[in-house]
Amino acid sequence: MQELGVVHRTITRADKADVKALSAFGVSTIHEAMGRLGLMRPYIRPVYPEAKVCGTAVTVLLQPGDNWMLHVAAEQVQPGDVVVAACTTECEDGFFGDLLATSLRAQGAEGLIIDGGCRDVETLQEMDFPVFSRAINSKGTVKATVGSVNVPVVCANALVNPGDVVIGDVDGVVVVPAARAAEVAAAARAREDNEVAKRQRLAAGELGLDIYSMRDRLTAAGLRYID
């Protein structure tokens, strides 16, 4: 349940070894390995092309046009965390810029995922501070209304609990529940190993029609070849 006006100082983070294991894989692989779950909406995009992030979630519930809780969240960040910020209603204002990035990095944050706006993109890229946001927007915000830190949030249609693993790259952002991190990392490894073998067969000229045994199914579906 979402709460307003609360900061939970103690959260259970996913095991560091499992987070490191997940960091080896792309968002698409992890999403498929987890049964096609956990993906944020595709409007959450990296603010610069090389941005990548993997870490444990410190969650923030923001009020529209107000970034107060991002400053509150900075105090709760530990090395290896990713701040995940949702809003009580849709808002694309520029909640986050280079000053907050400097603050979060000093506390050990790996990056930010926000269902809202971000600005100072050129400086963020120079800092190599990964941000995934709903929009790039210069419009400023205020510090007037209390939200919460480290409560469950829904960020771009994905449920994120404090301590979950969040992974972002050019393909999007995926959330892995902390309790499933080891299982999903193992499934992602198996999937990637399988794809290496298939990639070699495809590169050698073998067709997906044969690798995936599609021909009989296509015939049963009514596909006809006409010379």
Side-chain angles (χ1 to χ4, degrees):
M1 176 182 292
Q2 289 186 340
E3 305 170 87
L4 287 175
V6 64
V7 176
H8 291 277
R9 290 177 168 171
T10 303
I11 64 174
T12 301
R13 292 168 169 83
D15 184 82
K16 289 183 178 180
D18 297 333
V19 177
K20 184 177 180 180
L22 284 166
S23 72
F25 306 106
V27 167
S28 297
T29 296
I30 292 169
H31 170 58
E32 295 283 356
M34 198 165 54
R36 298 183 180 177
L37 298 172
L39 202 62
M40 290 190 184
R41 291 288 305 279
Y43 61 71
I44 300 293
R45 302 297 303 149
V47 299
Y48 57 90
E50 300 83 10
K52 292 184 179 181
V53 72
C54 178
T56 45
V58 166
T59 61
V60 186
L61 183 61
L62 298 167
Q63 299 282 4
D66 193 313
N67 75 349
W68 211 1
M69 290 300 104
L70 287 170
H71 291 272
V72 175
E75 187 179 30
Q76 304 306 315
V77 167
Q78 296 181 9
D81 285 340
V82 175
V83 175
V84 180
C87 194
T88 58
T89 191
E90 291 186 3
C91 184
E92 296 182 346
D93 292 354
F95 291 93
F96 187 87
D98 70 295
L99 292 180
L100 267 168
T102 300
S103 176
L104 293 185
R105 171 159 283 170
Q107 304 306 315
E110 298 290 332
L112 170 78
I113 296 161
I114 182 168
D115 195 356
C118 170
R119 59 187 188 175
D120 302 330
V121 171
E122 185 176 2
T123 306
L124 292 172
Q125 184 168 13
E126 291 171 356
M127 294 172 63
D128 194 23
F129 188 89
V131 175
F132 293 74
S133 71
R134 181 189 186 97
I136 295 172
N137 192 347
S138 290
K139 185 180 179 183
T141 56
V142 300
K143 300 166 182 62
T145 314
V146 169
S148 289
V149 175
N150 281 333
V151 298
V153 298
V154 176
C155 185
N157 283 24
L159 175 63
V160 188
N161 287 291
D164 286 349
V165 188
V166 286
I167 304 96
D169 62 24
V170 70
D171 286 335
V173 177
V174 67
V175 183
V176 179
R180 295 193 63 191
E183 165 209 339
V184 173
R189 168 53 60 199
R191 182 179 180 85
E192 191 147 290
D193 290 345
N194 185 43
E195 287 187 352
V196 168
K198 288 177 180 175
R199 192 173 293 109
Q200 291 171 343
R201 294 171 68 182
L202 290 166
E206 196 170 350
L207 294 172
L209 289 171
D210 299 311
I211 292 173
Y212 298 106
S213 302
M214 295 179 182
R215 295 188 186 278
D216 289 345
R217 292 167 53 210
L218 286 166
T219 300
L223 183 68
R224 295 179 298 136
Y225 289 86
I226 300 174
D227 295 323

